Structures are given as structure tokens and as C-alpha cells.
Amino acid sequence: LRGVYLDLEKVGPGPVVSTQAEVLSAIREIDQVVAAFAVRYAQWQADYTPWDDGGSSSRVLTRFLSDAPPADPAILS
């Protein structure tokens, strides 16, 4: 397998798991996982998703539709 460009063991925003048992353990202990990875998660967001705030789709639509003519109500019926 090709792998990834980043060393996720060192900089990943959460635990690297490879078995179902590890996934279940991480889910069962989610509060501890969140606490343990809080700093790395914040750094990951700052480095890779700084504009991911839940409003990106709305901003894109606003930008595209700002110059669009009003919708013809006849096409809605």
C-alpha cells in the first residue's frame, strides 16, 4: 500500500487503529480519547481545515447565487 504523506502516529488528530477491537475500544473510551488528542486535534484543524466551520456550503451558494436572476415561480409548480 502507498500509505500517507504524514506520520499519523505523530500528528494525527486521533488514535491510529487497525483492528475492530481497537475501534471499539476508542469508541467506548471516547471521552479519554478526546482529552488525550485535544491539542493535536486543534493543531490539525488549524493546519488542514481552518475554514471548516460548518458554513462553507452556505458561503459557496451565496457566492454563486448572488449574481443569479430570481427564480421563476412557474418552474416550481
Side-chain angles (χ1 to χ4, degrees):
L1 295 175
R2 187 175 116 190
V4 296
Y5 295 107
L6 302 171
D7 185 346
L8 295 178
E9 294 281 347
K10 291 182 181 177
V11 301
V16 175
V17 296
S18 57
T19 67
Q20 289 180 354
E22 291 172 337
V23 171
L24 289 174
S25 177
I27 292 170
R28 287 185 182 120
E29 300 169 3
I30 194 64
D31 292 336
Q32 295 91 333
V33 171
V34 168
F37 287 89
V39 171
R40 282 176 39 179
Y41 185 77
Q43 187 63 53
W44 184 272
Q45 285 183 302
D47 291 344
Y48 300 106
T49 60
W51 299 286
D52 188 6
D53 61 2
S56 59
S57 295
S58 176
R59 287 191 297 275
V60 168
L61 287 174
T62 298
R63 178 71 181 234
F64 279 127
L65 299 177
S66 64
D67 295 324
D72 181 357
I75 66 172
L76 301 175
S77 49

